[in-house]
Amino acid sequence: MDRTLVITGGGRGIGAATALRAARAGWHVVVNYARDEAAAAAVVAQVRALGRQALAMAADVADDAQVQALFAQVDRAMPPLGGLVNNAGVVDDASRVDAMSAARIQRMFAVNVFGSFHCAREAVRRLSTAHGGAGGAIVNVSSVASRLGSAGQYVDYAAAKGAVDAFTLGLAREVATEGVRVNAVRPGIIDTDIHASGGQPDRAQRLAPQVPMQRPGAADEVAAAIVWLLGDESPYTTGAIIDVSGGR
Ligand code: NAP
């Protein structure tokens, strides 16, 4: 395999774990990031140490122009695109819906939903046989929040991930005969920085008793499902949404 995988938000957490697993599976990797250049650079160094090509590329996935520039740079600087992981995502502080600002709600959908659309559109334009591409795979990172609703925490986030689920089903069927598979993983409570970014650094450990397996998941446990969905071992799997949640 001599194909490039773009991972949005690939510098930290689930994205970073996916970059390393994908590199071990033979992918060259583009590590997209929003702000944390040092974290992305560290992942790039680890991917290169595994013998694969890697570049860190800054882009806010919510900004369509930045996403188009990102994929144009991938075209110029990397082997042909073979896959995309729409992993970049944000939460916000715990809040009821009746206390949410419009700016917060818009950001939640702009990053988690519109960002996934922007990136998937650019990927389909390059991967689909209808566009002269050689096929490939897209994995969207949703959340079990899409079926739990996250009341009193972040219903905006849960609803955005619900949109990601529907996007996965629809896009998968749209491109099913064009060599492009589209699937999603829905992580449960995974031990990453995202909980601190929502003002709850202890959330993963605190909620462990609510998980049937009685523990949070590790980023690499989610990455394993993502890389399986990207690869040749899942050729008949499309439009699937796989929970990686310890039974939650
Ligand atoms: P994380 O550790 O907070 O990392 C988030 C990553 O997304 C960072 O690399 C960040 O870039 C990037 N990012 C944020 N906004 C971006 C933007 N506008 N444009 C480009 N990149 C952006 O999060 P995580 O826990 O690994 O989460 C990864 C995905 O899993 C998200 O979609 C999240 O919703 C989902 N998820 C996580 C959990 C969990 O419990 N951890 C559960 C369910 C679903 P910088 O490094 O530059 O800041």
Side-chain angles (χ1 to χ4, degrees):
M1 178 170 59
D2 210 23
R3 309 289 296 279
T4 295
L5 175 66
V6 171
I7 305 173
T8 65
R12 296 188 289 122
I14 293 167
T18 302
L20 300 183
R21 263 200 182 256
R24 282 188 220 106
W27 291 93
H28 305 296
V29 182
V30 169
V31 179
N32 158 254
Y33 65 97
R35 282 168 301 275
D36 196 337
E37 185 177 3
V43 174
V44 163
Q46 291 175 76
V47 170
R48 288 179 179 161
L50 291 165
R52 313 309 296 173
Q53 295 182 47
L55 285 175
M57 295 188 190
D60 176 354
V61 296
D63 183 327
D64 190 26
Q66 291 186 37
V67 169
Q68 291 188 44
L70 166 75
F71 278 84
Q73 194 185 348
V74 174
D75 292 340
R76 287 192 297 272
M78 294 291 288
L81 188 73
L84 164 69
V85 182
N86 270 322
N87 167 78
V90 290
V91 296
D92 209 323
D93 295 343
S95 170
R96 284 170 51 104
V97 171
D98 51 14
M100 287 178 188
S101 69
R104 169 190 166 132
I105 298 163
Q106 279 163 7
R107 170 174 170 267
M108 203 56 61
F109 279 75
V111 176
N112 294 315
V113 184
F114 304 159
S116 298
F117 268 81
H118 298 150
C119 295
R121 183 201 58 215
E122 292 307 306
V124 168
R125 286 176 177 170
R126 287 160 176 80
L127 300 176
S128 166
T129 54
H131 290 281
I138 297 172
V139 177
N140 295 325
V141 182
S142 176
S143 169
V144 295
S146 71
R147 58 173 169 71
L148 298 175
S150 304
Q153 293 264 308
Y154 23 65
V155 172
D156 51 350
Y157 171 79
K161 293 299 191 180
V164 170
D165 289 355
F167 176 50
T168 302
L169 299 177
L171 182 63
R173 289 163 187 175
E174 204 164 277
V175 299
T177 60
E178 300 170 16
V180 183
R181 296 181 302 106
V182 184
N183 295 287
V185 296
R186 283 198 301 216
I189 297 167
I190 310 301
D191 199 2
T192 71
D193 297 345
I194 202 168
H195 309 292
S197 72
Q200 303 180 65
D202 64 337
R203 182 172 181 271
Q205 296 304 330
R206 182 167 43 83
L207 297 188
Q210 295 182 15
V211 180
M213 288 179 74
Q214 299 288 303
R215 66 169 179 87
D220 188 56
E221 293 177 297
V222 182
I226 295 171
V227 172
W228 178 75
L229 286 168
L230 287 169
D232 295 338
E233 294 188 346
S234 58
Y236 198 53
T237 303
T238 198
I241 299 175
I242 297 180
D243 287 358
V244 183
S245 62
R248 187 164 183 250

